[in-house]
Amino acid sequence: MTKKLRRSKQRSRMLELLRSTEQHPTATWLYDELRKEFPTVSLGNVYRNLSILVEQGYVHKLDFGSTFDRYEAADGQHAHFMCRGCGRIYDLPMPDLEGYSHRRDIDGHRLESARVEFFGVCHECAAETESS
Amino acid sequence: MTKKLRRSKQRSRMLELLRSTEQHPTATWLYDELRKEFPTVSLGNVYRNLSILVEQGYVHKLDFGSTFDRYEAADGQHAHFMCRGCGRIYDLPMPDLEGYSHRRDIDGHRLESARVEFFGVCHECAAETESS
DNA sequence: GTCCGTGCAAAAGCTTTGCAGCCTT
DNA sequence: AAGGCTGCAAAGCTTTTGCACGGAC
């Protein structure tokens, strides 16, 4: 069962910071900001609290779903489906993105490439869960 | 100027492996496969060759564009634009994905969330390059 | 012969974890 | 008082890098 959570000034402030910034901070950025108010805060605790906030759904982690990089041969555009059960990555046809993919710029930024990723539970993992 | 590249059995084989697999391997997986044929190959060399293959455009790296995780407060769906110049991440409205976002499954996989990322050079970085 | 590619080993960088004491409830 | 939260430090893991030697051109 899940632990009952308490409230901590550090964690509350972290969420405030994340909500008040336009940036998409790294753990270290948060650490530096937090240290202005809690000079003794530790980086380890920032990571610990981030993982709690992510688990609670208050924060999104913009990583790739696993701690190591993945590679694929470069053969055309496609989207990916990532299974949170087994970690497998499936290829999918690239959706059209309302024509974005053919545009040269977005909001004034020069567009070079796009990536689309879906997350969920894959067919095989869903089958396993049901049968057990 | 760029170094003139030679050809190496290890690197050629790495590309073959990447092209022959449906998976999206990690460096370690490649390392293990490669060791079956080149028992003395080193993990460091796998990384070195991967970076060469990526630079040559033969291979795509499925990372997030930077070596550390980024976080954001969870406030609704949006897409991201990532600048390869300054590393900044901008929010963009989420495109419709041809209705994918409202579907419950894709290819039999249970869909829970989606992510769209654009890559390129942001307005500010483009301006800097022009003026210098 | 040149100089790129390699293996080996060490280092770097981000993230996680064990522990003892503190603070919230 | 109970048990989550904290700082500190050490460890873990992926990735990078320096070096001398062997191999491709």
Side-chain angles (χ1 to χ4, degrees):
Chain A
M1 79 153 248
T2 343
K3 265 201 291 193
K4 180 157 185 269
L5 292 178
R6 280 168 198 170
R7 165 179 263 272
S8 88
K9 289 171 187 160
Q10 286 92 328
R11 191 162 64 236
S12 307
R13 186 71 185 115
M14 280 177 58
L15 186 51
E16 269 182 46
L17 281 167
L18 281 166
R19 285 188 170 149
S20 67
T21 180
E22 290 276 308
Q23 308 183 49
H24 299 69
T26 62
T28 305
W29 183 90
L30 271 169
Y31 174 55
D32 288 336
E33 286 300 307
L34 215 54
R35 245 193 321 184
K36 294 176 184 168
E37 292 162 56
F38 306 89
T40 62
V41 77
S42 66
L43 186 55
N45 199 39
V46 169
Y47 278 109
R48 220 159 6 204
N49 278 332
L50 275 172
S51 81
I52 291 174
L53 289 170
V54 168
E55 205 168 329
Q56 294 179 316
Y58 292 133
V59 168
H60 288 153
K61 189 177 176 183
L62 303 183
D63 67 355
F64 195 65
S66 85
T67 55
F68 22 75
D69 295 337
R70 305 262 196 155
Y71 300 84
E72 68 177 4
D75 60 337
Q77 276 279 47
H78 53 252
H80 292 116
F81 179 92
M82 243 157 295
C83 176
R84 68 168 163 80
C86 60
R88 254 179 299 223
I89 300 178
Y90 299 83
D91 288 344
L92 294 173
M94 188 71 165
D96 184 50
L97 298 176
E98 297 177 2
Y100 270 2
S101 350
H102 302 104
R103 286 169 55 180
R104 286 314 198 80
D105 70 283
I106 296 185
D107 274 15
H109 309 311
R110 193 191 325 140
L111 177 59
E112 293 176 343
S113 64
R115 196 162 71 194
V116 174
E117 286 148 17
F118 297 101
F119 300 86
V121 179
C122 78
H123 185 64
E124 291 195 36
C125 283
E128 265 177 42
T129 311
E130 278 170 30
S131 64
S132 64
Chain B
M1 80 152 245
T2 342
K3 266 201 292 192
K4 183 158 183 267
L5 292 178
R6 281 167 197 170
R7 166 179 260 273
S8 89
K9 289 170 190 161
Q10 285 90 330
R11 191 161 62 238
S12 307
R13 187 70 184 113
M14 280 178 57
L15 186 51
E16 269 182 45
L17 280 168
L18 281 166
R19 284 186 170 151
S20 67
T21 180
E22 289 277 308
Q23 307 184 48
H24 299 70
T26 62
T28 306
W29 182 91
L30 271 169
Y31 173 56
D32 289 336
E33 286 300 307
L34 215 55
R35 244 193 322 184
K36 295 175 183 169
E37 293 164 53
F38 306 89
T40 61
V41 77
S42 65
L43 185 55
N45 198 39
V46 169
Y47 277 108
R48 223 162 1 207
N49 279 331
L50 274 173
S51 81
I52 291 174
L53 289 170
V54 168
E55 204 168 329
Q56 293 179 317
Y58 293 132
V59 169
H60 288 153
K61 189 177 176 183
L62 302 184
D63 68 354
F64 194 64
S66 84
T67 55
F68 20 77
D69 295 338
R70 304 266 198 151
Y71 299 85
E72 69 178 1
D75 60 336
Q77 276 277 47
H78 52 253
H80 292 117
F81 179 93
M82 243 156 296
C83 175
R84 68 168 162 79
C86 59
R88 254 179 299 223
I89 300 178
Y90 299 83
D91 288 344
L92 294 174
M94 189 72 166
D96 183 53
L97 298 177
E98 298 178 359
Y100 270 2
S101 350
H102 301 104
R103 286 170 54 181
R104 285 314 199 81
D105 70 283
I106 296 185
D107 273 18
H109 308 311
R110 192 190 328 141
L111 177 59
E112 293 175 344
S113 63
R115 197 161 71 193
V116 175
E117 286 147 17
F118 296 101
F119 300 86
V121 179
C122 78
H123 184 66
E124 291 194 35
C125 283
E128 266 177 41
T129 311
E130 278 170 28
S131 64
S132 66

